[in-house]
Amino acid sequence: QILADLAEGLVDLVIGTHALIQEAVTFHSLGAVVIDEQHRFGVEQRAALREKNADGTVPDVLVMTATPIPRTAAMTVYGDLDVSVLDELPPGRTPIVTRWAADAEAEVAVWEQVRAEVAAGHQAYVVCPLIEESDKLEVRSAEATHDELVSGELAGLSVGLLHGRLGSAEKEQVMSLFRAGRLDVLVATTVIEVGVDVPNATVMVILDAHRFGIAQLHQLRGRVGRGAARSWCHLVGEAPTPDGVARLEAMVRTTDGFELAEVDLELRGEGTIMGERQKGRTDLKLASLRRDRDWVERARADAMALLDADPDLADHADLAAEIDLLLGEDESAFLFKS
């Protein structure tokens, strides 16, 4: 019924998941698209929404994320978008204190603080990389951690468990209990990474934190600090690689999403500008988005000025020919998808 109504234009506003991108969905005349948590959508997925209209028109698009890509990459990948930066906390929020507990002694202090915050009337999250124990990976799972905490460090507290294999009704029941304050601690996987808002939660404990990327760590940390009370994020576990150390040190150093994005760019590589791969080897031959930020800004300003004066490059035949040679139809089309 909803699909039919969308095609007929009988629905004014539709709210949905990635399901709105599926081939079966068509719109009579889609005028505006708002994509929240943009970092969870790939380039092809974003493009799909812009090609949904039966009347051939292209909707206005607003993309939002608390986990930005680096400014230098944004100037290139989103060169045709107007970018707004909200770099201050909402009114009434207090900055989150982030600490790295790299050994067993430091971890003891983490659980002591969780108990202290619960005693003060607040709640806590504990996030694990896996749902259940793995023979191949020496990392803690949500199920085993839940059982250990209930009988050990958090004995006597009300501890819930949430992960992706639970049924929808079960997930909703657990979250309802946590929102209502009837659970002191929620042990979970990254299912709580986005869309969870419990202002009374003041402690985030991330176990085996080196297993998570910077964007995930930043999103998980954002589950606390949503009320007026002071909040903490504890990154627990050793980091066996230099990249892991750099990620965790960056998280301790700053809560600025843009600074963290630059660190992420430095560690992971910038990926292809002219393709779907969003990390790793770059397709730039000489330039580097990381090293040459000033040149990226100057080149973009020159390009915009040139196109404002000569949109079709009618007076710049050699430049137009060079662009056709270097980009071709496929890669030119890719630019407009973004």
Side-chain angles (χ1 to χ4, degrees):
Q1 184 62 54
I2 292 172
L3 289 175
D5 289 349
L6 288 174
E8 287 290 317
L10 300 177
V11 175
D12 296 321
L13 177 70
V14 59
I15 298 169
T17 62
H18 292 71
L20 289 173
I21 303 170
Q22 305 309 311
E23 287 184 17
V25 183
T26 57
F27 295 90
H28 177 69
S29 183
L30 183 63
V33 176
V34 179
I35 301 175
D36 195 15
E37 306 298 353
Q38 174 271 330
H39 62 282
R40 288 195 158 213
F41 289 80
V43 173
E44 294 284 353
Q45 289 176 321
R46 292 197 300 273
L49 271 173
R50 298 183 60 171
E51 299 166 358
K52 285 288 182 186
N53 271 348
D55 60 8
T57 58
V58 177
D60 293 328
V61 178
L62 170 66
V63 296
M64 304 186 293
T65 181
T67 311
I69 63 172
R71 293 173 196 265
T72 43
M75 281 187 290
T76 310
V77 179
Y78 299 112
D80 59 337
L81 299 190
D82 295 320
V83 180
S84 300
V85 178
L86 309 177
D87 56 4
E88 64 279 333
L89 287 171
R93 298 270 183 94
T94 52
I96 302 164
V97 178
T98 304
R99 292 176 179 153
W100 178 14
D103 54 41
E105 186 179 343
E107 187 177 340
V108 170
V110 170
W111 302 122
E112 287 175 355
Q113 195 196 16
V114 170
R115 295 193 76 98
E117 284 296 297
V118 170
H122 298 299
Q123 293 162 277
Y125 298 100
V126 178
V127 176
C128 308
L130 298 176
I131 294 175
E132 56 190 28
E133 291 292 287
S134 166
D135 294 332
K136 297 177 182 177
L137 298 172
E138 292 184 10
V139 295
R140 283 181 274 196
S141 71
E143 291 176 342
T145 298
H146 173 268
D147 295 344
E148 289 166 10
L149 292 176
V150 167
S151 59
E153 290 91 340
L154 303 184
L157 303 186
S158 178
V159 183
L161 176 64
L162 185 68
H163 56 69
R165 288 196 195 147
L166 297 178
S168 297
E170 218 174 338
K171 285 182 196 169
E172 186 49 47
Q173 182 184 21
V174 173
M175 276 313 304
S176 295
L177 290 171
F178 191 67
R179 286 192 199 97
R182 291 168 62 188
L183 291 176
D184 300 319
V185 179
L186 183 61
V187 177
T189 57
T190 54
V191 291
I192 64 158
E193 184 182 332
V194 296
V196 175
D197 185 8
V198 181
N200 191 46
T202 57
V203 184
M204 167 62 72
V205 180
I206 305 174
L207 301 180
D208 295 304
H210 70 279
R211 304 283 309 180
F212 300 90
I214 283 183
Q216 273 192 317
L217 291 171
H218 185 54
Q219 281 283 345
L220 288 168
R221 175 167 59 185
R223 297 310 99 203
V224 296
R226 305 181 81 81
R230 193 177 186 199
S231 295
W232 287 265
C233 175
H234 295 284
L235 310 171
V236 177
E238 296 179 6
T241 66
D243 280 4
V245 171
R247 285 200 300 275
L248 300 188
E249 286 179 343
M251 286 290 296
V252 171
R253 184 173 67 248
T254 183
T255 55
D256 182 338
F258 287 101
E259 184 178 341
L260 290 173
E262 294 292 342
V263 172
D264 206 16
L265 179 71
E266 198 70 42
L267 294 175
R268 296 201 306 163
E270 53 216 22
T272 54
I273 304 303
M274 305 300 300
E276 297 165 28
R277 197 173 65 250
Q278 296 184 5
K279 65 178 181 180
R281 184 183 60 81
T282 177
D283 53 1
L284 299 174
K285 296 293 188 287
L286 297 175
S288 161
L289 295 185
R290 292 166 284 174
R291 185 186 64 238
D292 300 322
R293 177 173 173 173
D294 290 345
W295 285 107
V296 173
E297 292 182 10
R298 291 169 66 177
R300 183 173 185 271
D302 280 351
M304 299 297 269
L306 192 150
L307 289 171
D308 283 344
D310 183 13
D312 299 320
L313 297 181
D315 297 331
H316 299 81
D318 289 347
L319 178 57
E322 187 80 356
I323 290 170
D324 283 341
L325 176 67
L326 289 173
L327 300 187
E329 284 187 17
D330 289 345
E331 290 181 329
S332 296
F334 180 86
L335 280 181
F336 288 102
K337 284 181 179 177
S338 297

